[in-house]
């Protein structure tokens, strides 16, 4: 049998119509493009989803941890409000309250350990020796060190 076209078929067929038994190249190319597009959209989604966490990476540890938890909650619950809250929290620079308070506490501790000017003698007695200031919370009584447990 010779391969003849049906008398009602057009004489010129488009390129995507193939004969029976031949490889459909257009379907293979379309499948590869589809797989690449799905993979590319997935990579874009993961990069977009981790954006708040990457932005908060240079902030304080507590802020970074909160943003990371919000990102995980939004990933598993599919609630976009958590991702938006994490993004907003990553964009805001929270003030550092702990460093000034720690500095104040250290300064007050140093002041408490040094003898005050009112209780210090104004003139030295001939046989008196200078008592060094101890910085490890020890009280000085009559030249002897007494450890304080306070």
């Amino acid at each position: 049998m010779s391969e003849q076209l049906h008398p009602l078929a057009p004489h010129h067929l488009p390129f995507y119509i193939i004969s029976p038994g031949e490889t459909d190249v257009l379907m293979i190319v379309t499948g590869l493009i589809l797989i690449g597009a799905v993979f590319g959209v997935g990579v874009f989604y993961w990069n977009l989803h981790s954006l708040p966490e990457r932005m908060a990476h240079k902030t304080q540890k507590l802020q970074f941890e909160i943003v990371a938890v919000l990102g995980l909650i939004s990933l598993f619950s599919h609630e976009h409000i958590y991702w938006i809250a994490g993004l907003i929290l990553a964009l805001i620079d929270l003030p550092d309250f702990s460093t000034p308070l720690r500095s104040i506490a250290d300064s007050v501790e140093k002041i408490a350990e040094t003898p005050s000017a009112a209780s210090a003698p104004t003139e030295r007695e001939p046989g008196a020796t200078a008592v060094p200031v101890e910085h490890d919370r020890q009280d000085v009584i009559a030249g002897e060190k007494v450890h304080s447990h306070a």
Side-chain angles (χ1 to χ4, degrees), residues 20-43:
E22 291 184 12
T23 303
D24 191 357
V25 178
L26 183 62
M27 184 183 73
I28 293 173
V29 170
T30 304
L32 292 175
I33 289 174
L34 180 66
I35 290 171
V38 168
F39 183 74
V41 167
V43 168

Side-chain angles (χ1 to χ4, degrees), residues 27-77:
M27 184 183 73
I28 293 173
V29 170
T30 304
L32 292 175
I33 289 174
L34 180 66
I35 290 171
V38 168
F39 183 74
V41 167
V43 168
F44 174 73
Y45 173 77
W46 286 110
N47 279 334
L48 184 65
H49 182 76
S50 67
L51 179 68
E53 194 171 339
R54 286 183 284 137
M55 290 173 62
H57 190 67
K58 6 178 213 241
T59 62
Q60 302 170 7
K61 183 181 179 201
L62 179 65
Q63 184 177 1
F64 172 70
E65 289 176 355
I66 292 171
V67 169
V69 167
L70 287 172
L72 283 174
I73 291 172
S74 72
L75 178 67
F76 292 121
S77 68

Side-chain angles (χ1 to χ4, degrees), residues 131-143:
V131 178
V133 176
E134 298 292 326
H135 291 287
D136 58 352
R137 300 191 58 94
Q138 294 176 346
D139 296 326
V140 178
I141 301 175

Side-chain angles (χ1 to χ4, degrees), residues 58-126:
K58 6 178 213 241
T59 62
Q60 302 170 7
K61 183 181 179 201
L62 179 65
Q63 184 177 1
F64 172 70
E65 289 176 355
I66 292 171
V67 169
V69 167
L70 287 172
L72 283 174
I73 291 172
S74 72
L75 178 67
F76 292 121
S77 68
H78 301 290
E79 299 283 334
H80 301 300
I81 191 69
Y82 296 114
W83 185 85
I84 293 169
L87 181 64
I88 291 172
L89 184 60
L91 289 172
I92 295 173
D93 288 332
L94 295 178
D96 184 18
F97 292 115
S98 63
T99 302
L101 291 175
R102 189 174 300 122
S103 174
I104 291 170
D106 291 343
S107 298
V108 168
E109 186 175 324
K110 286 180 185 177
I111 291 171
E113 290 177 352
T114 59
S116 64
S119 65
T122 54
E123 294 182 19
R124 260 195 186 170
E125 299 175 9

